[in-house]
Amino acid sequence: QASARGSAAVLGIAFVQNIYGNSGMTPLMIVSAVPLYNIYSVIILTFCANNQDHSDKAATIKRAFKNILTNPIILGIAAGVPFSLLNIELPPLVLKTVTNVAQTAIKKLKPTMIATFIKLVALPTIYFPFAIAMGFRESALVAILIMVGSPTTVTCYIMAKNMGNDGVLSSSIIVMATLLSSVTLTFW
């Protein structure tokens, strides 16, 4: 999940506005993609949890659906939609709390570098030619770059930790991808 989920919601609009002066269709693309990435991540984390009993597939599938419906990130997206649609501003304290990231150190270097490579290099290499062939240009193409090539989102750590997966590895990937993304995004 850490090599697939990016911080498009955090970086996307600002990145496109800085390049093109307006965000174009970026907000719509991000709003559409973020819930899907979260649903995929919940499924992956449910099936790969360390405390998982792999013998009962039906129970695992049921648990995956329950985890999707009760996932705090997905519930947060659903709760935030009315605020966005009605242009209601959140208090600065709430915004600051949401954006704080715990200080972490890089651990498990090999899988960290592999996941970071997938996130920042492999996914854009795969999806950019398709996007170009489909006719995407300018701000729409940059929005696709942000969706597939932005650094790993900090919520990967929270989801991994809360669902019995490797929080240390997730936090290392977040730090490494964030550090290297200034180089890779500039390259792309």
Side-chain angles (χ1 to χ4, degrees):
Q1 70 135 352
S3 64
R5 290 181 61 216
S7 52
V10 176
L11 295 176
I13 295 170
F15 197 79
V16 172
Q17 281 181 329
N18 282 331
I19 294 173
Y20 292 102
N22 67 49
S23 59
M25 65 186 288
T26 305
L28 179 60
M29 294 172 79
I30 291 170
V31 167
S32 301
V34 169
L36 290 175
Y37 282 128
N38 281 293
I39 290 168
Y40 296 147
S41 295
V42 168
I43 292 168
I44 291 166
L45 292 171
T46 299
F47 281 89
C48 297
N50 293 333
N51 57 358
Q52 173 70 28
D53 175 17
H54 298 285
S55 61
D56 189 356
K57 295 291 184 195
T60 303
I61 292 169
K62 183 178 177 182
R63 187 170 36 256
F65 280 113
K66 180 183 176 231
N67 287 340
I68 290 169
L69 295 175
T70 60
N71 180 269
I73 296 167
I74 295 169
L75 293 174
I77 290 169
V81 167
F83 287 90
S84 178
L85 293 175
L86 299 172
N87 291 324
I88 300 171
E89 301 241 353
L90 295 174
L93 179 61
V94 173
L95 293 175
K96 185 174 180 171
T97 302
V98 170
T99 58
N100 281 339
V101 179
Q103 297 296 321
T104 59
I106 302 296
K107 306 281 186 206
K108 301 182 179 183
L109 191 58
K110 185 176 180 180
T112 296
M113 293 308 294
I114 292 170
T116 301
F117 176 82
I118 291 169
K119 183 68 188 111
L120 301 179
V121 178
L123 291 177
T125 300
I126 293 167
Y127 287 101
F128 250 40
F130 287 110
I132 291 167
M134 293 173 71
F136 289 98
R137 300 290 184 272
E138 297 179 358
S139 63
L141 189 60
V142 174
I144 291 170
L145 168 64
I146 294 300
M147 285 190 290
V148 299
S150 63
T152 304
T153 182
V154 296
T155 56
C156 282
Y157 169 78
I158 297 163
M159 286 179 68
K161 189 80 171 159
N162 288 339
M163 295 182 71
N165 285 264
D166 196 341
V168 173
L169 177 58
S170 294
S171 67
S172 295
I173 296 166
I174 292 164
V175 171
M176 184 63 70
T178 301
L179 290 172
L180 296 178
S181 67
S182 63
V183 174
T184 58
L185 287 173
T186 302
F187 169 77
W188 291 114

